[in-house]
Amino acid sequence: GAGFSDDFLGGSAPASSSGGIDDLFGSPAASSSAGPTFVMPDSALVNYETLLTAGEGTLFEDEHVFVGFKSEFKDGRLARFGFYIGNRGLPMSNVSSVLVDIPELHIKENKAAPAEIATGERPLQLFLCELAAPFQEPPRLRLSFTAGGRAHGYEFKVPLALHMFCASEIVSADAFRAVFGAAGYSDRKSLFTAAPGMDRDAIAHFLTTIAALC
């Protein structure tokens, strides 16, 4: 199929490959190390829910920092997503933006956040991702920095959900009826099978999410 758009987040498209993210971009990123306690703002949780359907927009902002999010998906299993980390206040130093990944997603950082961000700057942190198995809880981003001699720490739920990896397919009315119209209930039911490792709770969560979008 077609590759990622070349202008996504101002980056270039990755080379096509049938081997998955490990072949495209090297080995998966190592898990992040333990860090300080971070605050998860209530407004970021509200924006997280909105971004699950919008795909891009503001994840969080206050008087110190702006965090924007954008994502793009391909072939039902590959994704690129990024965070714009904007400085809205005093110069930021000791900037650390670390993704706490999950085993169901193979994630590699493609472009790191800088250690210092001047007032008004909005650099991009970019990640590459491959869906390995169904998941319920998303990865989290831990952002910390020093501004005006004071340390700040935030934790955000990354707006990624299983339905975002679904690849749509357009079929004719005749083709649809041939599968669903002529078959009995038991036959139609047998078409919907769980992916390997997908338990009942994961299936229920996935169907509830899809129903909410309809």
Side-chain angles (χ1 to χ4, degrees), residues 74-77 163-169:
K74 174 191 174 186
D75 294 341
R77 64 188 182 94
H163 72 271
M164 301 170 80
F165 288 88
C166 293
S168 61
E169 182 176 353

Side-chain angles (χ1 to χ4, degrees), residues 123 143 186 208:
L143 172 65
S186 59
T208 300

Side-chain angles (χ1 to χ4, degrees), residues 31-51:
S31 299
S32 59
S33 58
T37 301
F38 293 85
V39 176
M40 184 175 292
D42 291 340
S43 60
L45 292 173
V46 174
N47 292 337
Y48 160 81
E49 295 291 342
T50 300
L51 289 169

Side-chain angles (χ1 to χ4, degrees), residues 104 133-137 161-163 166 189-212:
E104 294 88 351
F135 65 96
Q136 296 188 52
E137 286 299 314
L162 187 58
H163 72 271
C166 293
K189 185 177 179 181
S190 68
L191 293 173
F192 297 93
T193 58
M198 191 173 188
D199 59 24
R200 290 181 177 273
D201 290 341
I203 296 171
H205 175 77
F206 173 71
L207 293 178
T208 300
T209 302
I210 294 297

